[in-house]
Amino acid sequence: MRRFNISAIETTLFDKKSVATPGDLSFLINHLRELPEDARKFVIWASFFGPTFKVAEVALLMDWDDSGSSGSGTEEEHEDMWNVSKAVHNLREKENGSTTRRSIRGLQTAIAEGWLIQRARDMCSFSHDRYRQAAQAEAESQPQETIAKMSFRVSGGACRCLGEGRSA
């Protein structure tokens, strides 16, 4: 039988004064960091699109990012990553050979972990605004170059290329 000194435990807990403040996202950020890499990346990419987003748009950008993340490409390949239409075209060619995309695994895990909720066949949203805020805070902690590339890809019209690629 174990014996515990309740008064010593209470004193220790009260001394720490670990009162959660409403603006403190550290618990959620730590929880986000504990997710598998695919889910964490999907949630961070989704935070760039707002509280509700199209799954295909986030998946496209995440898979596009993964297709160029090796870092061992030539100068021309590096420049192609900034060319939205060429990158989408290259991604579509690579997609034909793969059976499971990391973005879809990340989406499924994020939904299972409660970070995201499916709203329609092709739409999702964050299950709570605090989850989105934690994802945004984690995105902001990335290196400036990474944030710039992610923002460029989101605002640069990569998502509009989805429709163009299907008509070709």
Side-chain angles (χ1 to χ4, degrees):
M1 175 182 269
R2 294 182 184 201
R3 295 187 184 257
F4 298 99
N5 185 344
I6 297 298
S7 56
I9 293 171
E10 287 175 344
T11 305
T12 304
L13 289 175
F14 291 126
D15 286 345
K16 291 184 180 179
K17 296 180 184 178
S18 60
V19 176
T21 59
D24 185 20
L25 293 171
S26 59
F27 174 77
L28 291 177
I29 292 171
N30 288 334
H31 180 55
L32 176 62
R33 289 176 181 162
E34 291 172 359
L35 291 176
E37 181 184 1
D38 294 341
R40 186 174 61 251
K41 286 179 78 172
F42 192 93
V43 168
I44 290 171
W45 271 108
S47 73
F48 280 81
F49 288 86
T52 302
F53 52 89
K54 288 186 177 182
V55 170
E57 293 176 348
V58 177
L60 171 70
L61 293 180
M62 182 178 160
D63 292 336
W64 176 18
D65 183 51
D66 287 345
S67 70
S69 61
S70 65
S72 60
T74 65
E75 178 79 22
E76 183 179 324
E77 288 172 342
H78 179 70
E79 291 301 317
D80 286 349
M81 289 308 296
W82 288 91
N83 183 333
V84 174
S85 1
K86 194 167 189 178
V88 170
H89 174 73
N90 291 343
L91 178 63
R92 288 188 187 283
E93 285 180 357
K94 289 179 183 180
E95 245 178 41
N96 293 335
S98 70
T99 56
T100 306
R101 294 189 336 226
R102 294 183 68 200
S103 59
I104 301 306
R105 286 193 310 261
L107 168 66
Q108 291 169 341
T109 304
I111 290 172
E113 291 289 329
W115 280 79
L116 303 175
I117 298 172
Q118 189 170 359
R119 294 288 182 195
R121 185 181 320 173
D122 64 340
M123 299 291 291
C124 276
S125 64
F126 283 88
S127 59
H128 195 279
D129 198 41
R130 301 300 284 166
Y131 285 123
R132 183 176 58 83
Q133 292 170 356
Q136 288 173 325
E138 183 65 12
E140 291 170 2
S141 72
Q142 303 295 315
Q144 275 306 113
E145 183 179 327
T146 302
I147 296 170
K149 283 182 180 182
M150 292 174 83
S151 297
F152 171 77
R153 290 175 182 170
V154 171
S155 66
C159 299
R160 282 182 255 135
C161 292
L162 275 173
E164 294 173 9
R166 290 185 184 145
S167 63

